[in-house]
mmCIF file of all heavy atoms in Angstrom:
data_model
loop_
_atom_site.group_PDB
_atom_site.id
_atom_site.type_symbol
_atom_site.label_atom_id
_atom_site.label_comp_id
_atom_site.label_asym_id
_atom_site.label_seq_id
_atom_site.Cartn_x
_atom_site.Cartn_y
_atom_site.Cartn_z
ATOM 1 N N SER A 151 -35.643 49.042 15.066
ATOM 2 C CA SER A 151 -36.949 49.062 15.767
ATOM 3 C C SER A 151 -37.691 50.307 15.293
ATOM 4 O O SER A 151 -37.245 51.048 14.431
ATOM 5 C CB SER A 151 -36.724 49.209 17.272
ATOM 6 O OG SER A 151 -36.253 50.527 17.575
ATOM 7 N N ALA A 152 -38.912 50.498 15.817
ATOM 8 C CA ALA A 152 -39.731 51.660 15.386
ATOM 9 C C ALA A 152 -39.108 53.004 15.755
ATOM 10 O O ALA A 152 -39.475 54.023 15.176
ATOM 11 C CB ALA A 152 -41.123 51.539 16.066
ATOM 12 N N ASP A 153 -38.060 52.980 16.616
ATOM 13 C CA ASP A 153 -37.374 54.223 16.974
ATOM 14 C C ASP A 153 -36.769 54.811 15.704
ATOM 15 O O ASP A 153 -36.508 56.046 15.698
ATOM 16 C CB ASP A 153 -36.232 53.907 17.967
ATOM 17 C CG ASP A 153 -36.750 53.482 19.301
ATOM 18 O OD1 ASP A 153 -37.980 53.821 19.609
ATOM 19 O OD2 ASP A 153 -36.009 52.857 20.047
ATOM 20 N N ALA A 154 -36.409 54.010 14.720
ATOM 21 C CA ALA A 154 -35.781 54.551 13.470
ATOM 22 C C ALA A 154 -36.754 55.462 12.691
ATOM 23 O O ALA A 154 -36.305 56.216 11.860
ATOM 24 C CB ALA A 154 -35.347 53.385 12.598
ATOM 25 N N VAL A 155 -38.019 55.341 12.954
ATOM 26 C CA VAL A 155 -39.047 56.131 12.220
ATOM 27 C C VAL A 155 -39.710 57.131 13.127
ATOM 28 O O VAL A 155 -39.953 58.260 12.772
ATOM 29 C CB VAL A 155 -40.102 55.202 11.575
ATOM 30 C CG1 VAL A 155 -41.226 56.003 10.957
ATOM 31 C CG2 VAL A 155 -39.473 54.337 10.525
ATOM 32 N N LEU A 156 -40.080 56.709 14.357
ATOM 33 C CA LEU A 156 -40.867 57.527 15.239
ATOM 34 C C LEU A 156 -40.442 57.273 16.684
ATOM 35 O O LEU A 156 -40.605 56.137 17.227
ATOM 36 C CB LEU A 156 -42.320 57.177 15.086
ATOM 37 C CG LEU A 156 -43.360 57.978 15.932
ATOM 38 C CD1 LEU A 156 -43.363 59.456 15.549
ATOM 39 C CD2 LEU A 156 -44.720 57.391 15.823
ATOM 40 N N PRO A 157 -39.886 58.232 17.440
ATOM 41 C CA PRO A 157 -39.518 58.048 18.812
ATOM 42 C C PRO A 157 -40.765 57.757 19.582
ATOM 43 O O PRO A 157 -41.896 58.234 19.348
ATOM 44 C CB PRO A 157 -38.927 59.383 19.235
ATOM 45 C CG PRO A 157 -38.578 60.113 17.959
ATOM 46 C CD PRO A 157 -39.550 59.629 16.955
ATOM 47 N N ARG A 158 -40.622 56.948 20.634
ATOM 48 C CA ARG A 158 -41.793 56.610 21.490
ATOM 49 C C ARG A 158 -42.208 57.787 22.316
ATOM 50 O O ARG A 158 -41.435 58.499 22.962
ATOM 51 C CB ARG A 158 -41.474 55.429 22.406
ATOM 52 C CG ARG A 158 -42.665 55.013 23.208
ATOM 53 C CD ARG A 158 -42.398 53.721 23.991
ATOM 54 N NE ARG A 158 -43.593 53.308 24.696
ATOM 55 C CZ ARG A 158 -43.675 52.210 25.491
ATOM 56 N NH1 ARG A 158 -42.650 51.411 25.549
ATOM 57 N NH2 ARG A 158 -44.784 51.916 26.112
ATOM 58 N N SER A 159 -43.539 58.025 22.276
ATOM 59 C CA SER A 159 -44.092 59.150 23.068
ATOM 60 C C SER A 159 -44.070 58.783 24.531
ATOM 61 O O SER A 159 -44.446 57.677 24.930
ATOM 62 C CB SER A 159 -45.528 59.463 22.610
ATOM 63 O OG SER A 159 -46.112 60.429 23.458
ATOM 64 N N GLN A 160 -43.680 59.758 25.344
ATOM 65 C CA GLN A 160 -43.698 59.539 26.803
ATOM 66 C C GLN A 160 -45.019 59.851 27.439
ATOM 67 O O GLN A 160 -45.269 59.503 28.612
ATOM 68 C CB GLN A 160 -42.576 60.386 27.494
ATOM 69 C CG GLN A 160 -41.188 60.032 26.974
ATOM 70 C CD GLN A 160 -40.820 58.622 27.129
ATOM 71 O OE1 GLN A 160 -41.005 58.038 28.259
ATOM 72 N NE2 GLN A 160 -40.359 57.989 26.103
ATOM 73 N N SER A 161 -45.906 60.524 26.693
ATOM 74 C CA SER A 161 -47.170 60.869 27.283
ATOM 75 C C SER A 161 -48.292 60.704 26.239
ATOM 76 O O SER A 161 -48.770 61.716 25.659
ATOM 77 C CB SER A 161 -47.167 62.314 27.786
ATOM 78 O OG SER A 161 -46.784 63.204 26.749
ATOM 79 N N PRO A 162 -48.648 59.470 25.887
ATOM 80 C CA PRO A 162 -49.708 59.277 24.856
ATOM 81 C C PRO A 162 -51.024 59.863 25.339
ATOM 82 O O PRO A 162 -51.362 59.795 26.527
ATOM 83 C CB PRO A 162 -49.801 57.710 24.795
ATOM 84 C CG PRO A 162 -49.239 57.214 26.101
ATOM 85 C CD PRO A 162 -48.177 58.194 26.429
ATOM 86 N N GLY A 163 -51.720 60.507 24.419
ATOM 87 C CA GLY A 163 -52.968 61.207 24.768
ATOM 88 C C GLY A 163 -54.114 60.634 23.985
ATOM 89 O O GLY A 163 -53.959 59.950 23.039
#
Side-chain angles (χ1 to χ4, degrees):
S151 73
D153 293 339
V155 173
L156 180 69
R158 183 172 182 179
S159 173
Q160 300 302 312
S161 55

